[in-house]
């Protein structure tokens, strides 16, 4: 098994407030810029991060305060790794939650239940770990086709 070489990393923490969704997109975009992504790759990363952070805020910390932690790593061969973590409610059944159209939002809220589906459509790999009452960790990975950072 080939071990990936870590090229760069960054950690950002912010309060679980809707207004910080744009912060998360901007932080991910700024970090990804180092490997010269295409416009399409940049849009994919920002969209997937936005969905994961929105889930943490809306579902993880529903009616409570908390912190969202975002860890970003760049590995050799331009593999971008982004982990979004909350210490909120957690997901009782991750497999069920990842099904299209499933949502834990109250019926009076307009939520599509497509967050994980959107993430999977834009990223090469999406994994979710969660424990009720302890929080959720969403890991996103994407190979960026731009200039290889490890060659610079």
């Amino acid at each position: 098994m080939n071990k990936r070489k870590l090229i760069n990393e960054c950690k950002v923490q912010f309060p679980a407030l809707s207004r910080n969704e744009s912060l998360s997109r901007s932080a991910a975009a700024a970090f990804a810029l180092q490997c010269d992504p295409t416009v399409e790759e940049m849009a994919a990363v920002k969209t997937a991060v936005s969905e994961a952070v929105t889930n943490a805020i809306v579902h993880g910390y529903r009616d409570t305060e908390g912190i969202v932690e975002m860890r970003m790593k760049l590995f050799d061969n331009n593999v971008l790794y982004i982990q979004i973590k909350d210490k909120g409610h957690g997901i009782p059944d991750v497999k069920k939650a990842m099904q299209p159209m499933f949502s834990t939002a109250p019926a009076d809220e307009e939520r599509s239940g497509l967050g994980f589906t959107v993430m999977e459509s834009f990223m090469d790999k999406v994994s979710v770990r969660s424990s009720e009452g302890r929080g959720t960790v969403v890991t996103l990975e994407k190979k960026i086709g731009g200039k290889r950072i490890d060659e610079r």
Side-chain angles (χ1 to χ4, degrees):
M1 180 173 158
N2 290 340
K3 186 138 175 127
R4 298 187 292 192
K5 178 181 171 191
L6 180 65
I7 304 297
N8 198 4
E9 63 184 324
C10 176
K11 180 172 117 175
V12 179
Q13 289 186 158
F14 46 88
L17 303 170
S18 263
R19 65 177 150 265
N20 286 329
E21 292 166 14
S22 63
L23 169 68
S24 68
R25 287 189 299 272
S26 297
F31 190 80
L33 275 174
Q34 63 192 306
C35 50
D36 196 27
T38 64
V39 171
E40 292 82 12
E41 289 169 330
M42 185 65 80
V45 168
K46 288 168 63 176
T47 300
V49 165
S50 186
E51 290 293 333
V53 170
T54 298
N55 279 355
I57 293 168
V58 171
H59 301 291
Y61 291 117
R62 177 173 300 282
D63 301 324
T64 61
E65 293 181 6
I67 298 292
V68 176
E69 180 181 293
M70 191 164 83
R71 291 178 181 257
M72 298 171 282
K73 296 180 181 181
L74 182 63
F75 292 97
D76 57 345
N77 294 319
N78 285 9
V79 175
L80 181 64
Y81 169 101
I82 302 173
Q83 186 180 75
I84 291 94
K85 179 179 180 179
D86 69 66
K87 293 182 180 178
H89 297 296
I91 303 170
D93 185 342
V94 171
K95 191 173 182 177
K96 186 175 182 180
M98 292 185 77
Q99 295 299 311
M101 307 306 288
F102 178 83
S103 179
T104 60
D108 61 340
E109 284 187 20
E110 290 187 31
R111 298 280 172 194
S112 68
L114 293 173
F116 288 123
T117 303
V118 169
M119 288 179 235
E120 290 176 324
S121 71
F122 284 108
M123 302 303 281
D124 298 329
K125 183 177 177 185
V126 175
S127 62
V128 180
R129 291 189 336 258
S130 190
S131 293
E132 277 190 277
R134 297 186 58 146
T136 302
V137 178
V138 175
T139 304
L140 310 169
E141 288 189 42
K142 184 165 187 69
K143 182 167 174 46
I144 304 296
K147 186 173 181 181
R148 285 182 43 178
I149 189 83
D150 53 327
E151 292 178 349
R152 293 184 189 170

